[in-house]
Amino acid sequence: MSLLSLFTTLALASIALTKPVSYPRVPCTPRSQTISWGPCSFPNLGSSPIECGILFVPVDYTSPALNETFGLPLFRSRATKPVTPSKGSILFNFGGPGYEAVQSLNSLADFLHLGVVNTLRFSCFDTPADRLIAAYKFPILAIGATDVALVDTWASTQVYSNICQTKNNNTNRGGVIGTAYVARDMMRIVDALNEDGLLRFWGFSYGSLLGETVAAMFPDRIDRLVLDGVVNGHNYYHRQGVDVDQLLSADDAFLGVLDQCITAGPAKCALATVNSTAADLAKALNRLAEEIRTAPIAVGDTVINFTFVKELLFIVIKYPSDVANAALHINNLLHRQNLTGVVDYYKSLQASIAMGDDDAIWGIKCSDTFPRSKELSEVMPDIEHMSNTSSTFGPYVASVTTICANWPFEAKERYAGDFKVKTRFPILFVGNTYDPATPVASARNMSASFEGSVVLEQHGFGHASLSQLSACTTTNLQAYFVNGTLPASGTVCEVDASLFK
Ligand SMILES: *[C@@H]1O[C@H](CO)[C@@H](O)[C@H](O)[C@H]1NC(C)=O
Ligand SMILES: *[C@@H]1O[C@H](CO)[C@@H](O)[C@H](O)[C@H]1NC(C)=O
Ligand SMILES: *[C@@H]1O[C@H](CO)[C@@H](O)[C@H](O)[C@H]1NC(C)=O
Ligand SMILES: *[C@@H]1O[C@H](CO)[C@@H](O)[C@H](O)[C@H]1NC(C)=O
Ligand SMILES: *[C@@H]1O[C@H](CO)[C@@H](O)[C@H](O)[C@H]1NC(C)=O
Ligand SMILES: *[C@@H]1O[C@H](CO)[C@@H](O)[C@H](O)[C@H]1NC(C)=O
Ligand SMILES: *[C@@H]1O[C@H](CO)[C@@H](O)[C@H](O)[C@H]1NC(C)=O
Ligand SMILES: *[C@@H]1O[C@H](CO)[C@@H](O)[C@H](O)[C@H]1NC(C)=O
């Protein structure tokens, strides 16, 4: 049974996460608005037709008298086998924006009958080239890369905040992007769909945080909510837009992948020849990163440095669909052979997860979060916590905690509650055992405060449940969406195939 068969009974709609930078000023039309669907201006990525629509929503829900609206782009794929009566639409959010969304787009569009494209969004630069130049001049460095990487990064993030402030100072944009706004947009979409006024939603990664927020703000309007690859919302709102527990499973995930590699053997995983246990192999790869830290290698137009090695390893365990090929390249790197091939592979991975050309991801996260920090010392506990929770990836990821510290804008509306909420229908949280970016512990944490909710653990690898197929997970999701059946608490689903097939 594939996920697809679930969706043959349901119509789908998806939302774009954020707001265009230059939106048309049109008068607010009252409630009864509907979405008119038509062909899209971009080619279909898969075989299932995608329709495009626009819904005009308020720019600033906190100042309705301004009457200012903008067109929120929507994409939908209709059910291939509609049922009567319809079960209603499911909204999706793939996370990001940018990072996860692009990954999802490339690998899942056909699978889920769905397309998501980028829209113009919150921006701190006139052109993508300007953003690129700023990223080189003021980089967010892996704190493990050099002795001064952290203090340099702290100063860089201050400059980034300054640039964003200057660019958006007179627009008020910075105060009207934020998750609470997106949550209200989602309910506008639900209204405009003219169904039963209830929300059905499947959110991945950041989309889970959006789902937590919408559930806490509109508990009476929740029909089905699957939150998959779960972000700890307490941390997100109070720790500079970062789930400081995000790496809780990262070392386990790393060791787990290496263990699968050794079990699969050299014919399926090139790295299996290196050492005979996952722990030894992990040590060898950490030593590799350390060697390259002090002796980076120039290859064509690229420097293989500490960040390169850590990023390569992290992307591979976060998106393990091509892991056998990755193992080949990592083994080459370990033996300093065919480095051109390694660099090309790294570049292809990077391209597949490239960020969108905007600043919305940090604009949203940073506007949402409170309090800010004036001194680096104030974020040090979070950096330490992340470094302590993952010895392999903490020194690569932890610097993200500095980005929002000096952010100049605050969302005018922000969810400030404790998520102690009873939703109209219980939430289904989903988490992978070996997810290096959203640990199942965060799913458990959030489930604890949403009354009646259940955690489904998928015993597999990668970021969120779609990274590996599991007939068990699919069956449980179908039962939830179609019949409203929640899995028994403590349910663990195995995946269908091992990582190295
Ligand atoms: C908004 O619309 C209302 C009703 O049409 C009108 O009375 C009001 O003047 C408008 N406000 C602005 C700022 O245009
Ligand atoms: C932003 O605008 C305010 C008031 O218009 C002004 O006082 C301030 O200097 C501006 N800040 C920047 C960074 O441009
Ligand atoms: C693991 O492999 C590396 C590289 O071949 C080697 O240097 C190291 O000694 C091995 N470690 C163990 C414990 O076998
Ligand atoms: C390492 O290389 C990356 C690009 O490959 C670059 O962004 C970074 O600044 C380099 N240096 C350090 C210290 O990470
Ligand atoms: C190096 O790697 C590339 C990309 O994987 C591959 O196409 C090429 O055949 C390899 N070259 C050698 C000499 O192994
Ligand atoms: C990190 O680990 C060190 C050493 O175990 C410990 O002293 C420190 O308190 C930990 N810091 C945090 C924030 O957990
Ligand atoms: C959830 O996480 C928050 C933030 O780390 C923490 O304060 C809270 O105690 C956790 N709740 C549960 C039930 O684990
Ligand atoms: C929904 O419940 C009906 C009746 O128990 C059952 O036959 C059907 O298989 C269930 N559908 C799903 C998708 O679980």
Side-chain angles (χ1 to χ4, degrees):
M1 196 184 314
S2 79
L3 268 170
L4 218 55
S5 54
L6 162 61
F7 297 113
T8 54
T9 56
L10 301 163
L12 309 182
S14 79
I15 70 156
L17 179 60
T18 49
K19 304 171 182 241
V21 173
S22 48
Y23 28 76
R25 277 171 183 272
V26 290
C28 238
T29 38
R31 256 290 299 273
S32 60
Q33 216 194 62
T34 53
I35 308 162
S36 47
W37 296 101
C40 301
S41 59
F42 56 89
N44 268 354
L45 290 152
S47 54
S48 2
I50 293 168
E51 295 168 279
C52 286
I54 290 217
L55 178 66
F56 284 90
V57 296
V59 169
D60 185 353
Y61 289 94
T62 65
S63 310
L66 292 178
N67 302 341
E68 200 185 359
T69 67
F70 80 100
L72 183 72
L74 303 170
F75 314 98
R76 81 167 172 187
S77 174
R78 282 180 162 284
T80 52
K81 287 184 211 153
V83 291
T84 319
S86 162
K87 298 259 183 192
S89 303
I90 301 179
L91 276 67
F92 286 82
N93 181 284
F94 285 114
Y99 198 79
E100 284 86 358
V102 171
Q103 180 78 11
S104 320
L105 180 71
N106 288 341
S107 54
L108 300 174
D110 239 4
F111 193 53
L112 290 181
H113 284 197
L114 182 80
V116 182
V117 296
N118 288 332
T119 55
L120 254 187
R121 293 177 295 211
F122 178 78
S123 181
C124 303
F125 302 91
D126 289 330
T127 67
D130 288 350
R131 178 173 300 100
L132 208 58
I133 291 166
Y136 282 110
K137 281 163 80 179
F138 316 109
I140 311 295
L141 295 169
I143 58 174
T146 74
D147 289 349
V148 291
L150 178 56
V151 287
D152 277 352
T153 295
W154 176 256
S156 287
T157 59
Q158 288 178 302
V159 171
Y160 178 55
S161 291
N162 294 344
I163 291 172
C164 290
Q165 174 161 30
T166 305
K167 182 76 190 160
N168 292 283
N169 201 23
N170 302 318
T171 64
N172 193 30
R173 270 316 111 69
V176 296
I177 55 171
T179 304
Y181 285 85
V182 185
R184 290 192 185 281
D185 290 345
M186 273 173 66
M187 297 321 297
R188 290 289 173 125
I189 297 170
V190 169
D191 288 339
L193 287 170
N194 260 320
E195 295 167 352
D196 53 6
L198 300 176
L199 174 67
R200 287 162 287 274
F201 177 64
W202 187 351
F204 302 87
S205 198
Y206 167 82
S208 75
L209 184 278
L210 173 57
E212 292 158 15
T213 306
V214 87
M217 289 171 69
F218 303 99
D220 300 335
R221 301 191 60 188
I222 302 302
D223 186 37
R224 302 284 189 271
L225 203 54
V226 173
L227 305 184
D228 189 341
V230 178
V231 173
N232 180 321
H234 305 284
N235 289 337
Y236 172 89
Y237 279 111
H238 303 289
R239 291 275 204 267
Q240 328 275 7
V242 171
D243 181 356
V244 295
D245 290 326
Q246 66 186 274
L247 296 177
L248 280 178
S249 298
D251 283 358
D252 280 353
F254 184 48
L255 284 169
V257 170
L258 299 181
D259 192 53
Q260 295 271 307
C261 168
I262 285 166
T263 305
K268 289 177 176 169
C269 178
L271 280 168
T273 54
V274 176
N275 296 99
S276 55
T277 69
D280 287 344
L281 188 48
K283 259 189 224 143
L285 293 174
N286 278 317
R287 197 178 321 121
L288 168 73
E290 184 52 30
E291 283 166 14
I292 286 181
R293 189 176 85 86
T294 53
I297 308 167
V299 180
D301 63 1
T302 302
V303 175
I304 298 181
N305 63 17
F306 176 84
T307 308
F308 179 111
V309 179
K310 293 287 177 171
E311 184 169 23
L312 178 59
L313 296 176
F314 196 68
I315 296 175
V316 168
I317 63 169
K318 191 172 175 188
Y319 304 110
S321 59
D322 190 37
V323 66
N325 203 15
L328 205 68
H329 291 290
I330 295 166
N331 188 52
N332 282 344
L333 182 55
L334 203 54
H335 295 96
R336 312 294 198 274
Q337 65 199 22
N338 197 356
L339 294 180
T340 312
V342 174
V343 165
D344 288 346
Y345 185 69
Y346 168 80
K347 284 181 180 173
S348 73
L349 283 183
Q350 271 206 323
S352 73
I353 58 161
M355 301 284 285
D357 272 330
D358 61 51
D359 303 281
I361 184 167
W362 291 108
I364 289 180
K365 290 184 177 192
C366 298
S367 299
D368 272 343
T369 185
F370 194 81
R372 308 291 159 79
S373 306
K374 287 209 159 49
E375 305 289 337
L376 176 56
S377 60
E378 292 169 25
V379 296
M380 279 317 290
D382 288 348
I383 288 178
E384 252 184 59
H385 175 73
M386 290 181 76
S387 302
N388 282 4
T389 51
S390 171
S391 61
T392 299
F393 298 107
Y396 158 61
V397 176
S399 48
V400 296
T401 56
T402 62
I403 298 176
C404 294
N406 300 286
W407 194 249
F409 306 111
E410 278 182 33
K412 288 207 235 161
E413 186 184 23
R414 183 170 50 206
Y415 177 69
D418 58 7
F419 297 106
K420 288 207 175 96
V421 169
K422 179 172 186 193
T423 47
R424 179 186 168 279
F425 196 83
I427 301 173
L428 175 54
F429 289 96
V430 182
N432 281 356
T433 312
Y434 302 106
D435 182 332
T438 49
V440 69
S442 288
R444 298 226 163 78
N445 179 292
M446 294 315 296
S447 179
S449 60
F450 283 104
E451 201 176 321
S453 67
V454 170
V455 176
L456 173 68
E457 178 172 348
Q458 178 168 295
H459 189 229
F461 295 91
H463 183 36
S465 72
L466 294 178
S467 57
Q468 285 193 287
L469 286 179
S470 163
C472 165
T473 299
T474 302
T475 304
N476 276 287
L477 289 179
Q478 287 178 325
Y480 176 75
F481 273 117
V482 176
N483 285 349
T485 310
L486 285 144
S489 134
T491 299
V492 177
C493 276
E494 296 300 328
V495 291
D496 298 345
S498 60
L499 212 45
F500 296 86
K501 286 167 228 110

